[in-house]
Amino acid sequence: RKSIEGVRFTALCDVKNPLLGKNGCSYVFAPQKGAKGDDLSTLEENMRLFYEKTKYLRVDQNFDGAGAAGGTGYCIRAFLGGNIVSGIDYFLDACGFDEAAKDADFIISGEGKFDKTSLNGKAVGGIVARARKLGKEVVVFCGVSDIESELPRGVKSIYRINDASLSVEENMKATKNNLEKAISKFLREVENA
């Protein structure tokens, strides 16, 4: 503790999920990393045990960002007394996003997998929220998306980069070509609008 005495810690965090529960890190993010079925309940139980063992630190697990990065947000606050701030807001402010975007025709963002968690504090969600405040819409380029029908408010269009007929390995090799195709499709649609 003496080695960090007087040091203040601030963590930039994209998500607002708590540590535990249905909206916690195990059930929301572990499936994105390949966890399935009983893995989820095992991960949740282990996270609950970790929380029980660290309760003496008197930090509630239910704050925005506690479940970020597998519980790293909780650990930063519990073990380091750190603050958790919105990462995307920090960077958008630092780069002057509002000023740069106010006259833009299109705001383009990207996400590996665009899904229901994407607008819940992740970078693309922060960009969409900021764009909405400016009366703008965002064009999203992503590897894959499970959003098929109604677009989220503030999202103009979604362009999937991956070719569904190819394996993950084949898509990784063809990323440059696939991205060029997606951009060409976007530009054709802009031209014909």
Side-chain angles (χ1 to χ4, degrees):
R1 279 264 189 202
K2 286 191 176 187
S3 63
I4 62 169
E5 196 172 314
V7 177
R8 291 187 356 217
F9 293 89
T10 300
L12 305 182
C13 179
D14 290 331
V15 299
K16 298 184 178 185
N17 301 70
L19 186 66
L20 303 172
K22 208 177 230 181
N23 293 318
C25 59
S26 298
Y27 285 111
V28 173
F29 301 113
Q32 296 175 351
K33 312 297 185 261
K36 296 178 179 133
D38 290 342
D39 294 343
L40 298 177
S41 56
T42 300
L43 289 166
E44 178 70 7
E45 179 60 17
N46 288 333
M47 193 61 75
R48 188 191 63 71
L49 289 171
F50 172 72
Y51 177 63
E52 291 296 322
K53 295 288 185 189
T54 59
K55 263 189 172 176
Y56 72 93
L57 296 167
R58 296 187 177 137
V59 172
D60 182 35
Q61 64 83 25
N62 202 29
F63 63 87
D64 284 357
T72 301
Y74 170 78
C75 291
I76 287 168
R77 183 170 284 176
F79 294 105
L80 302 174
N83 294 318
I84 309 295
V85 300
S86 167
I88 189 59
D89 285 335
Y90 178 90
F91 283 109
L92 291 177
D93 289 342
C95 74
F97 178 87
D98 291 359
E99 183 63 28
K102 72 178 184 180
D103 295 323
D105 292 326
F106 299 100
I107 296 173
I108 298 173
S109 186
E111 176 88 348
K113 180 179 183 186
F114 191 69
D115 61 18
K116 63 184 179 183
T117 70
S118 298
L119 299 180
N120 187 24
K122 289 188 177 181
V124 69
I127 291 168
V128 169
R130 218 34 111 78
R132 276 197 315 247
K133 286 179 184 174
L134 297 170
K136 306 287 183 177
E137 290 185 305
V138 176
V139 175
V140 176
F141 285 85
C142 58
V144 294
S145 175
D146 66 5
I147 297 174
E148 298 297 331
S149 54
E150 189 176 329
L151 294 176
R153 193 167 63 90
V155 175
K156 180 175 180 54
S157 52
I158 300 170
Y159 293 88
R160 291 164 191 83
I161 297 167
N162 287 353
D163 181 337
S165 68
L166 301 177
S167 69
V168 172
E169 293 78 18
E170 291 171 312
N171 270 305
M172 295 297 276
K173 289 178 185 170
T175 297
K176 182 178 183 283
N177 188 42
N178 290 345
L179 179 58
E180 287 174 355
K181 285 180 186 177
I183 291 169
S184 293
K185 180 180 179 187
F186 164 67
L187 293 174
R188 279 194 309 275
E189 289 176 4
V190 167
E191 204 171 79
N192 295 328

